[in-house]
Amino acid sequence: MVNMSRVSLFTRLYISIAMAVVISATVTFIVIDDYFIQSDIEEFVKHTDSVYQDLLSAFEAAPNKENQSLSNYQYNSQEIEVHWLPLSEDFACTTCEYLGSVDSVLIYTSDMYEFIAVYTLEEYKLIIKFIDNENDADHQPKIIANYDLDDLAPFILLFTVLTSIGFTIYWPVRSMQKQINQLIQTQKDFGDGNMKVRSNHKLTKPLNKLADSFNTMADSITDTVNENQIFAQAVPHEVRTPLSRIQLATGLLRQNSANYFQHDLLHNIDTYIDDIDELISQMVEFSKLNNVTRDEDYDYYQTINFVAFIHSRVKVLKPNKKLDFSLNVDDNLEITTNPVYLRLLIDNLVKNAMAYAKYEIIISLKLNNNGSTIFSVEDDGPGIPNQDYKTIFIPFSRLDKSRSRKTGGLGLGLAISKAACKKMNGDISVINNHIGGAKFTCILTKKVT
């Protein structure tokens, strides 16, 4: 059975409109059909009454009616047949269907005849049976309510009216559906990073108010994002200037001092400066990844041999020689993307794995049946608590236990990985693998060749 909650609002609305039109048409046809049948019965009884009165009048006017029987009087017509039965004989018709009575006249119908009227004459001990024989001289079976063109005219009119009503309801609903779909697409484009997209404010009321509300919200978000981007790019530049001066000062002090304690202290200062410089670099990278997606980004897309790219990045990262890297990738597998995004994704996931792996890191890339690409990096480290699966992708988030500042990192690596994966039209997630370590998986919708 179909779950209507999963059916769209407009689909349900169209179904309701169609059902309403069909039910209305069906009920109307039934009512009209009953009306025509009743009208035909009344017309038939009116005709039989006229014949009945003519027969009685002719009998009453006869000079020697005492010596005659009413049953001797016949009515010759191609429209109506007259049959006389003694009152002692009940009118019986096994193939007849009783339709009702009009002024004590019983009305029947059958497969052979449309209408049969039965009159009871107590005074003359007779029953008169009138049979509607119009258009049935050969006693062919008739169909109830066999209308001619004039009879069908109301049905044609009804069909036309119902069709007009259906289209009159359908087109406004269809127009509203298109406008709502436009709003949905606009919001989707805005959510995908197109900060310039806006809704058409000339929509039908009250959708125009929804569009104006969205546009106001979009303008506010765009201004905030632009301010944050300018701030995120300006702060690192302003911080690097005094850092350079501090490095210059520590260099001069080291040259003019022979004190080993001071040398160690200066070395620690240099380490802090390097950490701050790396943090600034990561902040700049993270800020750029969160910039609005532009069409010109696709100009930098390249077709990259994945195995060669992985080997080059692992070589640059200089992992501990004790770690064993396993690569589960076809040697000829290529991926078309921006190499900057791919580098940031691989570098940060591999560095994260290097920080926590004990002996082994596994890098995999495979094609899914739906054409998507599944890239994963896993280690044999302590793993990640289930409740922290989403927290670790938040900038500067930290875990209290196994993964802490002691293992290295500044808290932006996984956030950069997530942003890079998103830039490549992918989605990143993490679980613990079968050996307990963390497994990061990025599913890319871009097809790999």
Side-chain angles (χ1 to χ4, degrees), residues 90-157:
D90 295 332
F91 171 74
C93 180
T94 57
T95 61
C96 295
E97 177 185 351
Y98 177 70
L99 296 180
S101 63
V102 179
D103 297 331
S104 73
V105 179
L106 305 180
I107 307 298
Y108 297 85
T109 186
S110 69
D111 293 338
M112 293 295 294
Y113 305 105
E114 185 170 2
F115 299 120
I116 302 172
V118 178
Y119 289 73
T120 302
L121 287 76
E122 297 285 349
E123 181 182 355
Y124 299 102
K125 308 296 183 180
L126 291 173
I127 293 175
I128 305 177
K129 180 172 68 173
F130 293 95
I131 298 176
D132 184 8
N133 198 32
E134 186 178 2
N135 299 326
D136 278 294
D138 297 330
H139 300 288
Q140 296 296 322
K142 292 179 63 68
I143 300 176
I144 296 177
N146 185 19
Y147 309 120
D148 57 18
L149 185 58
D150 292 336
D151 295 331
L152 291 177
F155 293 93
I156 297 174
L157 177 61

Side-chain angles (χ1 to χ4, degrees), residues 231-283:
F231 179 79
Q233 294 174 7
V235 169
H237 174 74
E238 297 299 327
V239 171
R240 275 188 168 132
T241 300
L243 283 181
S244 299
R245 293 176 181 176
I246 294 174
Q247 283 181 318
L248 177 61
T250 56
L252 294 174
L253 288 174
R254 187 179 290 105
Q255 292 178 0
N256 296 301
S257 174
N259 189 316
Y260 292 106
F261 175 77
Q262 292 181 357
H263 281 194
D264 291 339
L265 184 59
L266 292 172
H267 177 72
N268 288 337
I269 294 176
D270 288 338
T271 301
Y272 299 146
I273 292 174
D274 291 339
D275 287 344
I276 295 174
D277 187 64
E278 183 182 355
L279 176 61
I280 291 173
S281 298
Q282 290 188 1
M283 289 177 62

Side-chain angles (χ1 to χ4, degrees), residues 355-366:
Y356 305 108
K358 297 177 181 178
Y359 306 105
E360 184 181 22
I361 295 175
I362 302 173
I363 302 175
S364 304
L365 184 72
K366 64 179 181 179

Side-chain angles (χ1 to χ4, degrees), residues 269-316:
I269 294 176
D270 288 338
T271 301
Y272 299 146
I273 292 174
D274 291 339
D275 287 344
I276 295 174
D277 187 64
E278 183 182 355
L279 176 61
I280 291 173
S281 298
Q282 290 188 1
M283 289 177 62
V284 171
E285 289 178 344
F286 186 70
S287 176
K288 289 180 178 179
L289 286 172
N290 284 280
N291 280 345
V292 178
T293 302
R294 297 171 294 182
D295 293 337
E296 53 264 28
D297 287 347
Y298 295 100
D299 296 337
Y300 300 99
Y301 272 45
Q302 299 177 12
T303 300
I304 303 168
N305 182 284
F306 193 79
V307 174
F309 194 85
I310 284 288
H311 283 305
S312 65
R313 296 316 306 164
V314 171
K315 185 176 181 181
V316 170

Side-chain angles (χ1 to χ4, degrees), residues 172 175-177 179-180 182-183 200-211:
S175 176
M176 183 178 293
Q177 181 185 19
Q179 294 180 27
I180 291 178
Q182 289 177 2
L183 286 173
N200 182 7
H201 65 280
K202 296 182 180 180
L203 300 179
T204 306
K205 292 183 179 180
L207 295 181
N208 61 334
K209 294 183 179 179
L210 182 61

Side-chain angles (χ1 to χ4, degrees), residues 342-361:
L342 184 60
R343 175 182 62 80
L344 291 174
L345 174 65
I346 293 175
D347 284 7
N348 285 281
L349 289 182
V350 171
K351 284 194 291 185
N352 182 79
M354 288 166 50
Y356 305 108
K358 297 177 181 178
Y359 306 105
E360 184 181 22
I361 295 175

Side-chain angles (χ1 to χ4, degrees), residues 317-343:
L317 295 175
K318 299 178 180 179
N320 190 324
K321 293 183 179 180
K322 296 181 180 179
L323 293 177
D324 180 26
F325 276 80
S326 298
L327 198 59
N328 297 330
V329 184
D330 184 354
D331 290 342
N332 298 321
L333 194 60
E334 295 180 337
I335 183 171
T336 301
T337 187
N338 189 322
V340 175
Y341 302 153
L342 184 60
R343 175 182 62 80

